[in-house]
Amino acid sequence: MQVRPVTVTGAARRTQIIDATIKVIAEQGYDRASFARIAERAGISSTRLISYHFAGKADLMAAVAADVITAIGNWTGGEMRSHVSAAAQLRAYIEATVQFIADNRAPMKALTEILLAGALNYSAADDAGAGAPLEQLLRRGQEAGEFRPFDPLVMAAAVQRCVDGLPFLLEREPELDCTAYARELAMLFELGTRREM
């Protein structure tokens, strides 16, 4: 495959295509996200412009997923960095992730559709890597005496699955109070992790 240099114009075009892809998937579903529909939504004249920037549909879907996942990580990481204790960072992680999902429903729906369609090469090792920072945070809290003894792998998986499930819940309950949802989750895991004095 030929590697093309990325110019400012090229980067802007890629972003335009990714944004249009997110909108098409969120509104019409993964199966209807053809290059023709994406080009029309992006306002570009030909599907060849998509093919110029992406090797195929799989490459485009991987780019969409990476874009959304990076945005989640940047937002959540930024919110967590303003806290010092492991307990405060855990609360910030939960609240920030829920807020991102609530505020970015189309990108989250697109990411979910891509995953459910099996269009992303996401392995058990990828899942372990995604959960590792949360597991490390929980271990750090235990080492600092903030958290009670528990299995950090199990707790990290429980936290992750609770936030990962929110896009599905929002499909069923679009008017869900996400602030209250985040508050309840944060309290649940605060009670589940804290060391009794």
Side-chain angles (χ1 to χ4, degrees):
M1 184 176 78
Q2 180 183 359
V3 177
R4 297 182 178 95
V6 179
T7 63
V8 173
T9 304
R13 178 69 77 195
R14 281 179 62 90
T15 298
Q16 179 185 13
I17 293 166
I18 287 171
D19 288 346
T21 304
I22 286 170
K23 288 171 184 165
V24 170
I25 296 172
E27 293 165 6
Q28 301 181 42
Y30 174 82
D31 291 337
R32 294 181 56 83
S34 66
F35 276 17
R37 285 191 174 94
I38 293 165
E40 181 181 7
R41 187 59 190 255
I44 56 180
S45 58
S46 169
T47 59
R48 285 194 302 264
L49 285 169
I50 300 174
S51 298
Y52 177 82
H53 291 283
F54 299 97
K57 189 169 182 179
D59 186 36
L60 174 56
M61 295 305 150
V64 169
D67 189 73
V68 177
I69 291 167
T70 298
I72 296 168
N74 289 343
W75 168 255
T76 304
E79 293 297 300
M80 290 173 69
R81 277 192 290 276
S82 62
H83 301 280
V84 176
S85 72
Q89 286 189 340
L90 177 60
R91 175 175 282 276
Y93 172 81
I94 293 168
E95 291 177 344
T97 305
V98 169
Q99 182 182 349
F100 183 92
I101 292 168
D103 293 346
N104 296 275
R105 296 192 188 199
M108 291 307 302
K109 183 167 184 180
L111 177 60
T112 301
E113 290 258 343
I114 290 168
L115 288 168
L116 291 177
L120 188 65
N121 186 13
Y122 189 78
S123 66
D126 294 322
D127 190 61
L134 187 54
E135 189 178 337
Q136 291 166 4
L137 169 63
L138 295 168
R139 290 186 192 282
R140 183 166 57 79
Q142 286 177 324
E143 290 164 4
E146 292 182 59
F147 295 151
R148 68 173 179 82
F150 55 77
D151 185 331
L153 174 63
V154 172
M155 190 67 74
V159 172
Q160 196 65 50
R161 296 308 177 252
C162 283
V163 293
D164 286 350
L166 180 56
F168 297 100
L169 185 55
L170 287 172
E171 283 292 305
R172 193 181 82 209
E173 301 285 343
E175 301 304 317
L176 179 73
D177 183 342
C178 290
T179 301
Y181 183 87
R183 189 169 52 245
E184 288 290 341
L185 270 190
M187 179 57 71
L188 173 68
F189 286 105
E190 180 182 331
L191 294 173
T193 57
R194 76 182 178 195
R195 179 182 291 277
E196 296 297 334
M197 302 305 287

